[in-house]
């Protein structure tokens, strides 16, 4: 199963700038947009945690497509009439399902990726990239290496390129050694 966390970027500053009621309305509007994407990609909202949505999908492809649609919807719509961006982490792997909630290393890795993703960025794992169809593999680029929770080996983290203009980007070198 693919686990996806979509988090509203800089939501704390929304509350400071706009006040609790206005900020909560914007957060709710944004979460509503995210939730509205789920049915088109066989996704399910597991829960919301403040300004973050945790969702699951039956395949890596569907999760990547949903993440891209979520990013595009939020970027285009100004939820609550305010410019908002989201950052997303997703990982495909085994999960434990108990009473509708999901648990396990897959959840922890997806949460980590959401936490380190920048605004307007979707991050995923090498393991997820390996499960993608050929057409979607063309939409991801390696960005850094990390020791992911539950793994003893360094893994490559990929960025999902969801804007049409980003697909022409050049691959980056992830080598940490320098040669002269």
């Amino acid at each position: 199963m693919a686990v996806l966390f979509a988090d509203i970027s800089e939501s704390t500053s929304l509350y400071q700038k706009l006040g609790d009621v206005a900020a909560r309305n914007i957060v709710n509007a944004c979460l509503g947009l995210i939730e509205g994407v789920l049915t088109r990609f066989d996704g399910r909202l597991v829960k919301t945690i403040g300004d973050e949505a945790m969702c699951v999908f039956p395949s890596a492809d569907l999760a990547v497509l949903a993440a891209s649609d979520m990013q595009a919807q939020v970027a285009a719509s100004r939820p609550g009439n305010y410019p908002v961006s989201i950052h997303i982490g997703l990982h495909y792997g085994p999960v434990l399902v108990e009473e509708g909630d999901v648990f396990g290393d897959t959840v922890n890795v997806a949460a980590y990726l959401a936490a380190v993703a920048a605004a307007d960025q979707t991050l995923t794992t090498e393991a997820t990239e390996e499960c993608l169809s050929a057409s979607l593999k063309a939409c991801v680029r390696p960005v850094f290496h990390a020791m992911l929770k539950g793994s003893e080996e360094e893994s490559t983290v990929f960025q999902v390129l969801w804007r049409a203009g980003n697909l022409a980007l050049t691959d980056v070198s992830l080598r940490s050694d320098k040669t002269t």
Side-chain angles (χ1 to χ4, degrees):
M1 182 174 285
V3 177
L4 178 152
F5 284 91
D7 193 9
I8 299 171
S9 300
E10 300 182 23
S11 64
T12 302
S13 68
L14 283 177
Y15 286 90
Q16 293 169 346
K17 287 179 193 172
L18 305 175
D20 291 345
V21 173
R24 189 65 191 156
N25 288 337
I26 292 166
V27 167
N28 286 340
C30 188
L31 291 173
L33 280 174
I34 290 166
E35 190 172 356
V37 167
L38 297 178
T39 56
R40 291 194 298 277
F41 300 98
D42 295 329
R44 177 175 68 85
L45 178 69
V46 175
K47 59 186 164 187
T48 58
I49 308 150
D51 66 341
E52 182 175 57
M54 178 185 181
C55 314
V56 291
F57 299 86
S59 73
D61 276 11
L62 290 169
V64 166
L65 291 169
S68 297
D69 198 23
M70 288 173 188
Q71 290 282 15
Q73 293 282 332
V74 171
S77 70
R78 296 176 53 99
N81 295 317
Y82 197 83
V84 176
S85 61
I86 59 174
H87 50 277
I88 297 174
L90 68 96
H91 181 54
Y92 182 79
V95 297
L96 298 172
V97 180
E98 293 178 6
E99 298 178 16
D101 206 346
V102 291
F103 303 91
D105 285 336
T106 298
V107 175
N108 295 333
V109 169
Y112 163 76
L113 293 173
V116 299
D120 295 323
Q121 187 176 48
T122 299
L123 296 179
T124 192
T125 60
E126 187 173 351
T128 304
E129 185 270 345
E130 290 170 358
C131 296
L132 293 175
S133 62
S135 61
L136 286 179
K137 282 185 183 201
C139 298
V140 297
R141 298 288 185 271
V143 288
F144 63 89
H145 295 292
M147 291 290 290
L148 300 175
K149 192 168 187 170
S151 176
E152 296 177 11
E153 295 180 18
E154 192 172 68
S155 178
T156 303
V157 174
F158 287 79
Q159 177 175 348
V160 176
L161 303 176
W162 58 272
R163 289 187 173 125
N166 286 350
L167 297 179
L169 290 177
T170 304
D171 287 335
V172 291
S173 173
L174 300 178
R175 304 187 117 213
S176 57
D177 57 70
K178 292 185 180 181
T179 56
T180 55

